[in-house]
Amino acid sequence: MIKKIIPFLIVAISLSAPSYSQKKAATTPVSIDEKVNALIAKMTLEEKIGQLNQYTGDRDATGPITTSGDKVDQIKQGKVGSMLNVRGAKFTREMQQAAMQSRLKIPLLFGQDVIHGYRVTFPIPLAEAASWDLDVIEKSARIAGTEAAASGIHWTFAPMVDIARDPRWGRVMEGAGEDTYLGSLIAKARVKGFQGKGLGNLDAVMACAKHFAAYGAAIGGRDYNSVDMSERTLWQVYLPPFKAAVDAGAATFMNSFNDLNGIPATGNSYLQRDILKGKWGFKGFVVSDWGSIGEMIQHGYAKDNYEAADVAIHAGSDMDMESRSYINNLAKLVKDGKVKEDLIDDAVRRILYKKFELGLFDDPYRFSDGQREKKTLNKPEFLAAARDVAKKSIVLLKNENQILPLSKDLKSIALIGPLVKSEKDMQGFWSVDWGKEDHLVSLFEGMQQQAGKTQLLYAKGCDISDTSKAGFAEAIKAAQQADVVVMAMGEKYDMSGEAKSRANIHLPGIQEELIKAIQETGKPVVVLLMAGRPMVFNWTADHIPAIVYTWWLGSQAGNAIADVLYGQYNPSGKLPMTFPRSEGQIPIYYNYLSTGRPAKDDQDTHYRSGYIDMQKSPRYAFGYGLSYTTFEYSGLKLSAAKMGLNEQITVSFTLKNAGNVAGEEVAQLYLRDVVARPVQPVKELKDFQKVMLKPGESKTISFTIDKEKLSFYNEKIEWVTQPGEFRIMIGGSSDAIRLEDSFNLVD
Ligand code: NOJ
């Protein structure tokens, strides 16, 4: 420790300009607030504006960025408060050394997109959400935070807590899916995971809840697109996960690229000042999304960067990521009397507070320790945890004739498809690129580890987006020689992610034709679908007996999939997003409002709210997922038939593992407020429990219903509860309700 502090002290003492640290002994401020205020009192306007400026390192921190100088020069002049894409103990130390040459020696903050793992890649967030296991989700973020913090990073731009009801939107892979309740719990778990025992600990990074707000509702599923939404939907569906992040102590927020009802989120003071910093009392700071302050010009909301900076600072955007609008315009805006210096002080105060909390004023290099970095990254226990989360994220969609799990006595298995040997695609979008250093376990390798005496045959068949059937013959031959075929199909790693919206979300290329050709061999076929979003694959869903949705599972993908295929782990994942039959059904989600003409079933279309050319039901519903065992729900009991406003009702039932193998079930509680104003969804997830049961074992499961679970926003955006009948629905999926009853809420 002493060794690490010495270089900083030498630099501090040898420079003639007075620094905050040198004065510390004389004034000895006690609270962080006092320390921040003392520092602000010494800062020039330019130095303050510098703190609001963030640049990308892009692995070339010395390249020129403006005509007036390069990034390092600007850091030395105190014109930069934070860098993103600067990672690794060495690189961050170098950049911090430049900051230590500035007049006040204010340390830089280093931010990075650590979305699903840093050195060890975890499943994509949407996949992890399918585990419905908050402990493993928190653990995954904890490990990512630990590794990142050991690599000089102070701040991750995660979690993304945007609710998403449109699988065309490529960024669904980055969130927790469509449900507000599940999404809020996951937001909290991820924030806690990243921030660990609190800022200041050497294994904690600042979390950043993003993208504030409503980014997930981009019209047409096109990234960066406008959002047009009722105030009530905003509060009821899209804001709660952000509120959960604030309550969990998220240090920072990122605003979003979209406009919300015509006002860009970056310039939206209703969102950032009234709601986030006002009503919710958020004390951290808000960073813009990349260039989003300047993009208000393209939106047609600001004439130029001068105006954009004016709008953004008033709206509560504290830090400017890469648009240079603040650094180039704020001083003039203050001189012109358009922006009060107090407003800038507030933003600076929020940012400096975090730097103090992180301990950077005590030792600006405390996260940039090469020895610790080496010891921390890629630990075997981190890889074991990644395998554990990965197997829990897998969703079994179909398993006719119990094709799965595979027997160890099979003579041969044909592994067919474009993703059998792929590594990069297992990692998925938003993974940190480690180049050659990286090693990911492909499906082929994972199967080799567990196949024992079974011979593994391999044929690619086709590439992901192929139009040629040239590889089919070889694949058919391999299938004919095997007892069972396992096909690895899906998306390439860059087909879901930022700016990866797809209008056609079918299995790409001719992959479904390859599946047909292999099915015609008459061999038992298992199809694995690896993707960053829900896809459409109707022929496969209708004809293939066993289908497993593996998403993109990260470093340990192959091992985790083999664990499930061989029954080492009994799959327990449940879909966090609805899978449509066709893009024409989108947006599609389980918690819709009833119409005046609800169709009773998929055939009931006569002047009913359905389609005349297709079923209205999804292919796979929210909450759906099978196991190698079956579960029985029985004996629903309510502690009372009536509930007073300040009382609670306990709902209990028996859950039994009716099969021959141990397994976990996610028992889900849905409620419906039968008559309400405004009308309420046909069902809403209000609680769940993931329960492990041995074969034949039964357990009593209880859920407590209180006023909070029965409340909603009315048209005046008041959080209200209305007396009347509430329907209780319990089951293993939103479309497999096994137990129902109702109770009355009374005044
Ligand atoms: C743009 C993305 O929207 C945001 O999520 C990300 O954190 C920033 N770029 C920084 O890479």
Side-chain angles (χ1 to χ4, degrees):
M1 195 62 187
I2 287 170
K3 257 194 202 150
K4 274 168 249 151
I5 296 171
I6 285 171
F8 170 57
L9 290 179
I10 292 169
V11 176
I13 292 162
S14 62
L15 290 167
S16 53
S19 80
Y20 171 75
S21 310
Q22 284 170 274
K23 290 253 174 150
K24 198 159 68 171
T27 51
T28 328
V30 280
S31 70
I32 294 187
D33 278 321
E34 284 171 299
K35 291 179 187 179
V36 169
N37 287 335
L39 179 52
I40 289 181
K42 295 191 183 81
M43 293 171 80
T44 63
L45 176 62
E46 283 66 25
E47 283 165 337
K48 290 176 187 172
I49 294 167
Q51 287 303 302
L52 316 188
N53 186 30
Q54 186 188 53
Y55 288 145
T56 181
D58 272 345
R59 287 173 206 89
D60 178 16
T62 52
I65 48 146
T66 67
T67 44
S68 57
D70 70 15
K71 291 178 186 176
V72 175
D73 275 350
Q74 293 194 41
I75 293 170
K76 289 178 188 166
Q77 291 166 39
K79 289 184 174 171
V80 185
S82 170
M83 297 286 288
L84 73 150
N85 298 328
V86 170
R87 64 177 169 95
K90 189 167 171 282
F91 195 8
T92 52
R93 182 172 280 268
E94 276 166 29
M95 291 298 100
Q96 207 64 292
Q97 276 162 350
M100 289 307 110
Q101 294 173 48
S102 65
R103 189 179 78 93
L104 292 174
K105 302 177 197 349
I106 300 176
L108 290 167
L109 277 179
F110 299 114
Q112 177 79 32
D113 289 293
V114 181
I115 309 295
H116 52 112
Y118 180 65
R119 179 65 182 81
V120 173
T121 311
F122 280 79
I124 57 167
L126 185 62
E128 286 191 353
S131 73
W132 295 52
D133 187 329
L134 301 170
D135 293 339
V136 300
I137 292 171
E138 182 176 331
K139 190 167 181 193
S140 144
R142 184 78 293 276
I143 292 171
T146 302
E147 285 194 330
S151 204
I153 294 164
H154 309 132
W155 179 19
T156 172
F157 301 129
M160 183 185 104
V161 303
D162 298 310
I163 295 298
R165 292 169 158 184
D166 190 334
R168 292 171 300 180
W169 188 48
R171 298 194 82 168
V172 299
M173 51 102 12
E174 226 183 305
E178 75 187 39
D179 185 63
T180 305
Y181 177 75
L182 180 62
S184 300
L185 293 176
I186 291 177
K188 186 174 153 201
R190 290 200 167 122
V191 169
K192 276 171 62 189
F194 287 128
Q195 298 189 169
K197 294 205 174 80
L199 303 189
N201 286 291
L202 280 172
D203 60 358
V205 290
M206 296 196 293
C208 181
K210 70 187 189 186
H211 305 85
F212 197 63
Y215 183 48
I219 294 172
R222 255 196 308 124
D223 211 358
Y224 317 123
N225 204 7
S226 295
V227 172
D228 197 77
M229 172 183 294
S230 77
E231 188 71 4
R232 209 168 54 79
T233 301
L234 177 70
W235 281 89
Q236 188 84 29
V237 179
Y238 287 84
L239 291 184
F242 288 101
K243 176 65 166 50
V246 173
D247 293 345
T252 72
F253 260 53
M254 184 184 292
N255 59 34
S256 55
F257 288 122
N258 58 285
D259 75 78
L260 174 63
N261 304 329
I263 302 175
T266 309
N268 199 315
S269 69
Y270 171 59
L271 287 175
Q272 301 184 130
R273 290 227 181 264
D274 299 354
I275 299 175
L276 179 61
K277 295 177 177 175
K279 196 172 163 60
W280 294 350
F282 173 65
K283 297 278 179 281
F285 70 88
V286 180
V287 64
S288 79
D289 203 343
W290 184 295
S292 69
I293 298 181
E295 285 178 20
M296 285 195 284
I297 304 167
Q298 278 75 43
H299 274 286
Y301 197 75
K303 176 165 95 241
D304 50 24
N305 283 100
Y306 176 84
E307 220 176 82
D310 186 16
V311 169
I313 194 78
H314 277 103
S317 299
D318 300 309
M319 187 181 278
D320 176 359
M321 182 192 286
E322 266 294 331
S323 96
R324 297 162 176 77
S325 303
Y326 281 0
I327 194 74
N328 292 334
N329 297 285
L330 277 183
K332 183 156 179 0
L333 282 160
V334 172
K335 278 175 200 124
D336 293 348
K338 300 219 163 165
V339 170
K340 291 211 175 77
E341 196 162 338
D342 281 0
L343 213 54
I344 291 175
D345 286 353
D346 174 57
V348 176
R349 188 169 285 119
R350 288 167 181 272
I351 293 164
L352 292 178
Y353 197 99
K354 294 300 164 200
K355 293 186 177 183
F356 274 106
E357 264 191 301
L358 286 163
L360 295 177
F361 283 97
D362 299 325
D363 176 3
Y365 307 110
R366 63 196 299 261
F367 294 90
S368 307
D369 172 349
Q371 290 301 322
R372 193 171 61 244
E373 181 178 41
K374 223 181 188 166
K375 271 195 250 151
T376 309
L377 300 196
N378 225 11
K379 281 188 184 169
E381 68 249 42
F382 295 169
L383 288 163
R387 180 170 179 166
D388 185 54
V389 188
K391 67 191 189 196
K392 290 176 173 158
S393 303
I394 293 171
V395 185
L396 178 65
L397 295 180
K398 195 172 172 187
N399 192 21
E400 274 175 10
N401 312 322
Q402 296 193 317
I403 291 192
L404 291 173
L406 299 175
S407 157
K408 290 264 181 175
D409 299 331
L410 293 171
K411 279 211 195 71
S412 61
I413 299 174
L415 295 168
I416 294 175
L419 290 163
V420 172
K421 291 198 170 174
S422 169
E423 293 188 14
K424 181 71 191 160
D425 302 301
M426 300 300 103
Q427 204 173 22
F429 202 86
W430 281 126
S431 46
V432 180
D433 191 2
W434 293 89
K436 285 211 183 82
E437 267 179 71
D438 222 351
H439 179 73
L440 294 128
V441 183
S442 67
L443 172 68
F444 194 81
E445 286 171 299
M447 289 297 286
Q448 273 180 328
Q449 293 296 318
Q450 298 194 37
K453 290 193 189 119
T454 307
Q455 189 194 7
L456 296 179
L457 307 169
Y458 167 68
K460 193 169 187 184
C462 66
D463 225 328
I464 289 176
S465 300
D466 255 358
T467 47
S468 154
K469 293 188 182 173
F472 278 29
E474 192 200 359
I476 291 167
K477 202 166 144 208
Q480 281 162 343
Q481 288 166 9
D483 296 335
V484 172
V485 183
V486 174
M487 302 189 72
M489 321 300 277
E491 290 188 316
K492 201 168 146 53
Y493 75 93
D494 61 359
M495 288 178 138
S496 288
E498 186 182 345
K500 306 292 178 232
S501 294
R502 290 174 61 199
N504 170 356
I505 58 166
H506 282 64
L507 203 46
I510 49 162
Q511 292 187 58
E512 210 158 29
E513 289 187 48
L514 178 63
I515 297 174
K516 279 183 207 170
I518 299 302
Q519 170 77 344
E520 277 166 17
T521 62
K523 298 288 175 163
V525 178
V526 177
V527 168
L528 308 176
L529 293 170
M530 304 167 165
R533 54 150 63 82
M535 293 188 294
V536 171
F537 44 91
N538 290 317
W539 190 91
T540 303
D542 285 335
H543 298 93
I544 297 297
I547 305 172
V548 184
Y549 219 79
T550 74
W551 318 95
W552 291 328
L553 291 175
S555 298
Q556 289 290 306
N559 285 332
I561 297 170
D563 286 341
V564 164
L565 293 181
Y566 278 114
Q568 296 300 317
Y569 180 74
N570 184 356
S572 62
K574 301 275 187 178
L575 298 177
M577 255 191 109
T578 304
F579 277 43
R581 296 173 188 277
S582 150
E583 293 85 355
Q585 295 176 308
I586 298 170
I588 183 168
Y589 45 93
Y590 83 95
N591 47 352
Y592 54 88
L593 304 181
S594 181
T595 66
R597 294 188 173 199
K600 280 189 223 76
D601 55 45
D602 276 338
Q603 275 74 50
D604 180 24
T605 55
H606 189 67
Y607 289 96
R608 297 271 150 198
S609 179
Y611 299 106
I612 56 168
D613 58 352
M614 148 160 305
Q615 289 139 285
K616 72 173 195 325
S617 62
R619 185 82 236 190
Y620 298 107
F622 172 81
Y624 173 82
L626 302 173
S627 160
Y628 294 152
T629 186
T630 51
F631 297 97
E632 282 173 9
Y633 289 73
S634 65
L636 178 61
K637 284 193 200 93
L638 273 62
S639 60
K642 279 186 186 157
M643 174 179 149
L645 271 184
N646 294 314
E647 293 172 356
Q648 296 181 337
I649 277 197
T650 306
V651 178
S652 54
F653 59 96
T654 304
L655 182 68
K656 181 178 177 191
N657 179 347
N660 301 323
V661 285
E664 287 157 289
E665 169 71 326
V666 180
Q668 302 159 38
L669 168 75
Y670 295 89
L671 291 179
R672 178 175 185 181
D673 190 338
V674 181
V675 178
R677 296 179 190 171
V679 291
Q680 293 301 300
V682 292
K683 55 175 80 95
E684 278 183 300
L685 182 73
K686 291 291 179 177
D687 212 341
F688 63 87
Q689 274 182 45
K690 190 163 185 172
V691 191
M692 169 61 97
L693 292 172
K694 293 190 208 98
E697 193 187 359
S698 295
K699 265 189 194 158
T700 302
I701 312 290
S702 305
F703 294 120
T704 303
I705 300 174
D706 57 10
K707 188 175 157 189
E708 197 59 20
K709 291 205 186 305
L710 309 178
S711 303
F712 55 86
Y713 286 102
N714 68 10
E715 59 277 26
K716 293 185 194 146
I717 315 302
E718 296 158 334
W719 187 240
V720 297
T721 320
Q722 294 175 356
E725 185 191 348
F726 284 83
R727 248 202 114 60
I728 298 173
M729 293 159 271
I730 292 168
S733 162
S734 66
D735 71 343
I737 299 303
R738 301 286 174 237
L739 302 169
E740 282 191 76
D741 205 339
S742 54
F743 68 93
N744 271 293
L745 181 71
V746 292
D747 258 332

